[in-house]
Amino acid sequence: MEKKAYLKIGRAADIENNKERIFYRILEIFPGFLSWLTLILLFLLCWKIPFYVAVFAIFFDLLWLARVVYRSFLLRAGYKKMREHEKTDWLEKIKKLESKNWRDYYHLIVLPMYKEPLEIVRSTFLSLKNCDYPKDRLIVVLGLEEKARKEALEIAEAIKKEFQNEFFKFLISWHPSGLAGEIAGKGSNETWATKNAKKEIIDPLKIPYENVIFSSFDIDTVVFPKYFSCLTFHYLTSKEPARTSFQPIPLFINNVWEASVPSRVFSFSSTFWNTMNQASQDNLITFSSHSMSFKALTEVDFRQTNVVSDDSRIFWQCFLMFDGNYEVCPLYYPISMDAVVAKTYFKTLVSVYKQQRRWAYGAIEIPYLLFGFLKNKRISLQKKILFGLRAIEGHWSWATASFIIFLIGWLPLVLGGENFNVTILSYNLPRVLSNILTFSMISLVASAYFSILLLPPKPPSYGKHKYLFFFLEWFVVPLVMIVFTPLPALDAQTRLALGKYMGFLPTEKMRIKK
């Protein structure tokens, strides 16, 4: 394999060398194998050595409680800092940077869309129009799919008519269908649109690549007014902006009042998870909407078009390309997106499951980065171990932790036999674990509290009692999490292990007027 050709691997079949292809395939099997092995061993060990499993259960739940408490503090710290960043006058701070001529920098905003309705697309463009950053420094590209031309053309024309004169440059890009080696989805559409912007705008105007800040947004991304000012300040004050991605806090609240309970719970859970990761930067990688240097993007030859998890892949792609000298800078500034809302309650549940499965399919990054670590000898061993273990543990716990917590309290009693059931430990195990898990429910109160604070203005048709329902629904989280957290993750990892590779499935999102 030629030098750094491994950066473009999408799956094992992309590798020509037979031995390397087999090895990569083993790495693809590994995440699912590890998760299934854990669950199988849980049953076997509860049967064979129930006493030791019971002791492990107490320590495991105590560790889980410690993590819950720790993350609650991270959530509070992240939320507090986000509110501070919202109040900061970032544009004024930029103007005081004497060493930088900030007006030499441009923002390239790429918005890939498929079949989203006009109201979603228009709200995104309105947020760009209403931001405090000079519009003569914004280059906006609307990426459309050729295969959806019939549905998208009318929307594109309406957006063009209303907004094309609002920005420095406005471009509509049509992504052809059926290109060889591509997986149809956000990543391939965005890459095509970005290359068009480079060819038609950036190169003809001879704008230096290091002076272009690229933002990858979902089509439902609504930027808060100071986003580009905040981003520009962090970019200009970064030690190595061309070796840094910039991650805002995604709030899935655009249509949260209309979402069903499971959708709303997962929307806020995702928001809180990303907020906590901002406060714990070591775990931060790019997710959903984010920004980076256009120079870095061109150096890695743009996003891969043969992967589903393109938002996390671009981080690992850069991390490997630049020999581990790449990081994510937390912005602590919010953007907002839509929660999953389909036409019916059942379809919404299905869409929530599929969205979680698509996110969990990010386990495909484990073979990619482990194989890349073996290929790249210039990344330090410490970084390889640290990032590798984090990725493995994250996806392993995603698929197994909820099952372990749910099963480990009573499984030793069922499978342990009479010898174990007459012990004092067997008598006290359910009570001890119940007390630990009850205490961990405090975190749900904190989550409920912060979810109320993050809510957008209440529609006039809703009464004040709706706030109480929003607060109380957090106490069904344990039940919702059992169904919609480990199952989609285990599903995704099993598909990867069996070689049943997933494609990109757009999430259905609607805004229902009430």
Side-chain angles (χ1 to χ4, degrees):
M1 183 175 291
E2 64 182 84
K3 185 179 180 181
K4 295 203 173 181
Y6 58 86
L7 293 177
K8 293 297 184 180
I9 295 174
R11 60 185 65 172
D14 296 335
I15 302 175
E16 294 181 2
N17 183 283
N18 188 52
K19 290 183 178 179
E20 291 186 345
R21 183 170 60 252
I22 293 173
F23 179 68
Y24 198 96
R25 184 73 191 98
I26 292 172
L27 292 178
E28 288 180 339
I29 294 170
F30 173 68
F33 171 78
L34 181 63
S35 295
W36 278 110
L37 179 64
T38 299
L39 297 178
I40 292 170
L41 283 177
L42 179 62
F43 280 84
L44 289 177
L45 296 179
C46 285
W47 174 37
K48 291 294 186 180
I49 49 172
F51 177 85
Y52 294 103
V53 172
V55 174
F56 168 78
I58 294 173
F59 281 102
F60 184 86
D61 280 15
L62 284 173
L63 176 62
W64 189 259
L65 173 61
R67 293 181 71 174
V68 166
V69 173
Y70 173 65
R71 287 172 177 171
S72 295
F73 283 109
L74 289 180
L75 175 60
R76 182 180 181 277
Y79 173 83
K80 181 179 179 181
K81 200 163 185 178
M82 182 186 75
R83 291 308 191 199
E84 290 174 357
H85 277 47
E86 284 186 89
K87 296 175 183 177
T88 301
D89 188 343
W90 295 103
L91 196 57
E92 186 62 29
K93 289 174 72 73
I94 293 171
K95 293 176 181 178
K96 292 180 180 179
L97 294 175
E98 297 179 358
S99 60
K100 301 285 185 179
N101 186 359
W102 64 276
R103 288 193 61 84
D104 289 341
Y105 292 82
Y106 293 81
H107 288 271
L108 172 60
I109 303 123
V110 179
L111 300 162
M113 66 166 282
Y114 184 42
K115 294 182 179 180
E116 289 80 7
L118 176 60
E119 61 181 354
I120 288 181
V121 183
R122 186 172 182 271
S123 67
T124 295
F125 274 83
L126 280 174
S127 71
L128 297 176
K129 176 184 174 181
N130 295 329
C131 71
D132 72 343
Y133 202 78
K135 311 309 178 297
D136 62 355
R137 289 299 178 267
L138 302 186
I139 302 170
V140 183
V141 184
L142 180 60
L144 306 173
E145 291 286 357
E146 187 66 47
K147 64 181 178 182
R149 178 177 282 269
K150 182 179 179 180
E151 297 91 339
L153 185 58
E154 184 178 347
I155 294 174
E157 290 299 325
I159 293 296
K160 180 180 179 180
K161 181 179 179 181
E162 184 175 0
F163 295 102
Q164 68 174 336
N165 296 321
E166 297 292 340
F167 313 110
F168 173 62
K169 293 292 181 181
F170 174 79
L171 177 67
I172 291 179
S173 167
W174 290 94
H175 175 230
S177 60
L179 294 180
E182 281 195 353
I183 293 178
K186 175 192 171 185
S188 55
N189 184 336
E190 180 182 279
T191 298
W192 182 270
T194 306
K195 289 181 177 180
N196 281 343
K198 176 181 178 294
K199 181 175 66 175
E200 298 184 27
I201 300 173
I202 296 173
D203 286 347
L205 294 177
K206 297 181 180 180
I207 303 174
Y209 294 168
E210 60 269 23
N211 285 16
V212 179
I213 307 172
F214 167 78
S215 289
S216 167
F217 288 162
D218 291 342
I219 194 59
D220 60 331
T221 300
V222 173
V223 296
F224 281 41
K226 302 175 184 178
Y227 175 76
F228 293 109
S229 300
C230 177
L231 170 60
T232 305
F233 178 83
H234 283 82
Y235 185 89
L236 295 180
T237 56
S238 173
K239 291 182 179 180
E240 293 187 271
R243 298 293 178 265
T244 307
S245 284
F246 301 87
Q247 181 64 57
I249 298 177
L251 310 178
F252 295 86
I253 59 172
N254 289 343
N255 59 345
V256 72
W257 287 96
E258 303 148 16
S260 61
V261 172
S263 176
R264 192 158 47 238
V265 165
F266 273 99
S267 294
F268 279 118
S269 296
S270 180
T271 291
F272 296 157
W273 176 257
N274 285 282
T275 304
M276 290 183 287
N277 283 341
Q278 294 258 334
S280 178
Q281 190 178 350
D282 291 341
N283 295 319
L284 192 59
I285 63 174
T286 47
F287 171 78
S288 189
S289 298
H290 58 272
S291 303
M292 63 183 294
S293 165
F294 187 71
K295 184 176 187 293
L297 189 64
T298 57
E299 287 178 329
V300 296
D301 194 24
F302 300 93
R303 283 178 183 268
Q304 288 185 238
T305 58
N306 58 347
V307 294
V308 174
S309 304
D310 54 278
D311 292 324
S312 56
R313 174 59 62 91
I314 190 60
F315 169 78
W316 295 118
Q317 201 176 335
C318 292
F319 189 85
L320 294 173
M321 174 69 186
F322 302 124
D323 304 323
N325 182 29
Y326 199 83
E327 64 179 6
V328 179
C329 170
L331 290 186
Y332 290 102
Y333 194 84
I335 56 174
S336 64
M337 293 180 284
D338 284 30
V340 178
V341 176
K343 294 179 180 179
T344 66
Y345 187 85
F346 178 75
K347 287 184 177 180
T348 298
L349 294 181
V350 172
S351 293
V352 168
Y353 179 91
K354 289 182 177 180
Q355 183 190 63
Q356 295 298 312
R357 185 179 64 187
R358 191 186 77 213
W359 289 352
Y361 194 64
I364 201 170
E365 303 306 317
I366 293 176
Y368 178 79
L369 67 96
L370 293 182
F371 187 80
F373 287 165
L374 291 174
K375 284 288 184 178
N376 191 321
K377 308 300 182 183
R378 303 184 64 174
I379 301 175
S380 70
L381 179 61
Q382 181 182 1
K383 281 190 175 182
K384 290 178 179 179
I385 294 174
L386 188 63
F387 281 89
L389 288 178
R390 268 195 206 131
I392 293 169
E393 190 278 332
H395 284 280
W396 172 81
S397 62
W398 193 342
T400 62
S402 294
F403 282 138
I404 293 173
I405 292 172
F406 177 71
L407 295 172
I408 209 166
W410 57 268
L411 208 54
L413 305 178
V414 175
L415 301 178
E418 185 177 347
N419 289 337
F420 174 71
N421 287 335
V422 296
T423 64
I424 296 176
L425 181 58
S426 71
Y427 176 79
N428 288 304
L429 179 63
R431 292 165 176 78
V432 172
L433 297 185
S434 176
N435 288 336
I436 294 174
L437 294 178
T438 299
F439 191 73
S440 70
M441 293 285 282
I442 294 174
S443 68
L444 294 182
V445 177
S447 297
Y449 171 72
F450 286 116
S451 69
I452 297 297
L453 294 180
L454 290 172
L455 283 172
K458 179 176 63 66
S461 57
Y462 290 118
K464 292 184 178 180
H465 65 280
K466 194 73 173 179
Y467 288 107
L468 178 61
F469 290 151
F470 276 19
F471 185 88
L472 294 177
E473 70 189 23
W474 277 94
F475 293 94
V476 305
V477 165
L479 177 62
V480 173
M481 288 297 183
I482 286 292
V483 178
F484 290 99
T485 298
L487 285 179
L490 202 58
D491 184 352
Q493 292 178 20
T494 303
R495 288 170 184 263
L496 177 60
L498 296 177
K500 297 182 181 295
Y501 302 106
M502 290 175 55
F504 186 93
L505 183 67
T507 303
E508 187 173 1
K509 295 174 181 177
M510 300 175 60
R511 295 181 189 172
I512 305 169
K513 301 297 182 182
K514 291 187 178 180

